[in-house]
Amino acid sequence: NRFFSREQLKNDLKRKSLHSALNKVVTSGTSIFLTLASAMILARLMAPEVFGLFAMVLSVTEIARYMLEIGLGTATVQKENITQEEVSALFWINFIIGFLLMAAVAAISPAVAWFYGDTRLINICLVLSLTFLFRGIVVQHRSLLERQMQFGYLGIVNIASNFLSIVVAVLLAYYGFGVWSLVWREIVFVILYDAGIWLFCRWIPAYPKLNSDVRSSLKFGIDLSGLTLVEP
């Protein structure tokens, strides 16, 4: 499979590295612009308390997001040699983690509502919990594109998903949907992002098989995520 071998990257590696770096800069700059522009527009359309309500749930979901990949995407990108069986196993591990995080966030939604004293947070938590399932099934596909330095495709997907999700949020905010404008922005973004990544990386995972290579990648990922958590 062309996503696993790096032989083609050895030809004109310097040019490809420069091109990849430029794509990253453009994508980051565009994403920052879209984020700032959407924040300004939505701030005009919605009351400040709407953003506060959304931030209450975000404080929980952001913590869970750190636990989603556990460095398995980085393991796929950095390993010199990797196989279909190994990436397939890592895909299913990310899927299981995403499912468990979805279930965990949904389960604690009543506790979040109780802590902040607002029952509206229950439904918001339940809907946002779905994002973990969608994020879990795209980790390895995104990592395979990164492994092949296909940052142009990644940039297109990121910018397009970001822009379209913002359009949805602005329209919903304009018609008075309040905090659900922000919630559906997150849902629309992950769905479009997944679809875009899968479109450019048409790799189908096989049935999982645990072996020594998978265990080494899992150990590498856990060690990496542990280091990330303790770094300032």
Side-chain angles (χ1 to χ4, degrees):
N1 192 303
R2 65 186 181 90
F3 292 110
F4 301 105
S5 175
R6 280 178 164 168
E7 289 301 318
Q8 68 274 19
L9 293 179
K10 295 179 180 179
N11 298 322
D12 201 6
L13 182 60
K14 184 178 180 179
R15 182 185 64 82
K16 291 178 180 177
S17 299
L18 182 61
H19 191 256
S20 297
L22 181 60
N23 281 326
K24 283 186 175 182
V25 171
V26 172
T27 300
S28 297
T30 306
S31 297
I32 291 172
F33 171 78
L34 289 174
T35 300
L36 292 175
S38 65
M40 294 172 64
I41 295 171
L42 291 172
R44 292 292 303 271
L45 295 173
M46 297 186 297
E49 66 179 35
V50 171
F51 294 95
L53 190 65
F54 184 73
M56 293 176 188
V57 178
L58 208 62
S59 63
V60 176
T61 58
E62 285 300 299
I63 294 174
R65 279 184 63 179
Y66 279 111
M67 304 169 61
L68 179 61
E69 294 192 27
I70 62 169
L72 298 186
T74 304
T76 297
V77 175
Q78 293 189 0
K79 289 195 70 172
E80 181 64 28
N81 298 303
I82 200 164
T83 64
Q84 158 83 5
E85 292 76 14
E86 187 176 351
V87 180
S88 294
L90 297 179
F91 169 87
W92 291 110
I93 291 172
N94 280 129
F95 169 77
I96 292 171
I97 294 173
F99 179 82
L100 292 176
L101 288 174
M102 177 187 70
V105 171
I108 66 172
S109 58
V112 174
W114 169 82
F115 181 80
Y116 287 108
D118 195 325
T119 56
R120 292 176 295 176
L121 297 176
I122 295 178
N123 288 334
I124 296 173
C125 276
L126 290 175
V127 174
L128 285 178
S129 70
L130 295 173
T131 62
F132 293 102
L133 190 63
F134 286 111
R135 292 182 188 278
I137 63 175
V138 80
V139 172
Q140 293 303 317
H141 289 77
R142 186 202 68 225
S143 299
L144 287 174
L145 289 175
E146 290 180 358
R147 180 179 176 84
Q148 297 301 323
M149 300 178 70
Q150 299 291 339
F151 294 105
Y153 292 148
L154 290 168
I156 291 172
V157 173
N158 188 286
I159 292 171
S161 303
N162 206 353
F163 175 76
L164 292 174
S165 64
I166 288 171
V167 170
V168 170
V170 170
L171 288 174
L172 290 176
Y174 179 79
Y175 285 105
F177 282 83
V179 70
W180 289 101
S181 307
L182 303 177
V183 173
W184 283 107
R185 180 183 63 181
E186 296 294 316
I187 297 296
V188 170
F189 175 82
V190 295
I191 291 175
L192 292 177
Y193 187 83
D194 280 24
I197 294 297
W198 279 60
L199 176 65
F200 287 118
C201 181
R202 300 185 183 184
W203 166 72
I204 305 298
Y207 290 107
K209 294 180 180 179
L210 290 178
N211 53 42
S212 58
D213 289 333
V214 175
R215 294 188 183 93
S216 67
S217 294
L218 187 57
K219 182 179 184 303
F220 173 85
I222 292 174
D223 290 344
L224 179 65
S225 60
L227 288 172
T228 301
L229 287 175
V230 299
E231 285 179 353

